[in-house]
Amino acid sequence: LRKERLEYTEVLEKMNSSGKLEKVVFWLTDQAMYTAQWVPEQMPPMKPAPGQDPRQFAAQMQQMLQQQKHNLMLLRRTLLRDVEGLMLSHEADDLICIQVVPQEKIKPDKANWADKKKVKRCMDTQQPFSFFGKSKHQCHYTGGVFVKESMTKIPLPDLGWYQPVEVHHSVPGTVSTEMREDIVLLTEKKAEV
């Protein structure tokens, strides 16, 4: 994201896989589009102040994202080259459907994983592993070996892990956790998007 230029951002409602609407942060750069959730669910103001230049607001958002001064949990990063089209209705509704190339299922790759047998200490806390003490847990994203307290579970569809798997606690929010699929958004500003 640091090399991408922010073009547009707004808090929208997105239809999730169970057909319910959820609030998400949607932003568009010169290379990709993103959907993310704020964690915790307290969202800061995502619209320019009255009278504020939209370009100035976009620059502030880009600076915040680059400095990682946020609690965003990335749901999906979709490259613009994977967008097949936009569907807008002729009605005066607020729906936008962004059609994307379907994601092909891939097999998980463990090539970068550390050899658990050779790792004697947690790669995060440096706590020693033992048979009756701390057990070894493999991060499915980094391949590192950690104690259970350093782990959490999320899906990693871009790496072939479609169900939640163990990852180091620093990973959530930085990788896509949803499959690439068509996106249905609800916005009052569909002409701007």
Side-chain angles (χ1 to χ4, degrees):
L1 182 59
R2 292 173 193 252
K3 296 178 183 174
E4 298 178 34
R5 189 177 71 248
L6 186 66
E7 301 287 343
Y8 180 82
T9 185
E10 185 180 354
V11 175
L12 304 172
E13 290 186 294
K14 174 183 168 272
M15 191 172 297
N16 64 22
S17 57
S18 61
K20 295 182 179 178
L21 290 175
E22 58 186 19
K23 285 202 180 285
V24 296
V25 179
F26 172 83
W27 72 94
L28 185 64
T29 70
D30 57 343
Q31 297 177 29
M33 62 181 180
Y34 298 80
T35 53
Q37 288 179 322
W38 285 94
V39 179
E41 303 254 343
Q42 301 169 346
M43 288 193 218
M46 291 295 296
K47 297 183 187 274
Q52 182 182 15
D53 179 21
R55 290 187 195 126
Q56 180 188 11
F57 175 74
Q60 288 173 345
M61 287 298 300
Q62 184 172 12
Q63 183 179 13
M64 179 193 76
L65 292 168
Q66 287 175 344
Q67 294 174 352
Q68 297 183 350
K69 292 183 177 178
H70 57 78
N71 290 328
L72 285 177
M73 174 69 79
L74 181 65
L75 298 174
R76 182 77 229 157
R77 177 179 189 257
T78 304
L79 296 174
L80 294 182
R81 69 171 182 239
D82 294 328
V83 174
E84 289 186 320
L86 287 174
M87 287 184 7
L88 304 172
S89 69
H90 295 290
E91 305 299 320
D93 59 23
D94 299 332
L95 290 174
I96 298 175
C97 180
I98 302 171
Q99 297 172 302
V100 297
V101 176
Q103 184 171 343
E104 294 181 21
K105 286 207 169 192
I106 58 173
K107 290 186 177 184
D109 183 15
K110 299 180 181 181
N112 70 327
W113 283 25
D115 184 356
K116 270 181 152 178
K117 294 175 185 172
K118 294 181 181 177
V119 179
K120 303 297 181 205
R121 294 183 171 275
C122 173
M123 296 176 164
D124 184 22
T125 65
Q126 300 304 313
Q127 293 177 343
F129 296 115
S130 67
F131 187 73
F132 293 108
K134 301 290 182 181
S135 59
K136 298 177 182 183
H137 295 263
Q138 193 102 38
C139 175
H140 288 65
Y141 183 72
T142 66
V145 181
F146 305 95
V147 293
K148 185 175 184 170
E149 294 79 19
S150 294
M151 305 297 280
T152 189
K153 288 189 171 190
I154 60 170
L156 298 169
D158 292 347
L159 298 178
W161 306 102
Y162 302 102
Q163 298 298 319
V165 292
E166 286 192 310
V167 296
H168 186 260
H169 62 78
S170 65
V171 173
T174 61
V175 297
S176 296
T177 58
E178 293 184 348
M179 291 282 290
R180 187 175 65 220
E181 58 188 6
D182 293 349
I183 302 170
V184 178
L185 300 170
L186 185 64
T187 177
E188 296 174 2
K189 300 179 180 180
K190 74 178 176 184
E192 290 179 33
V193 176

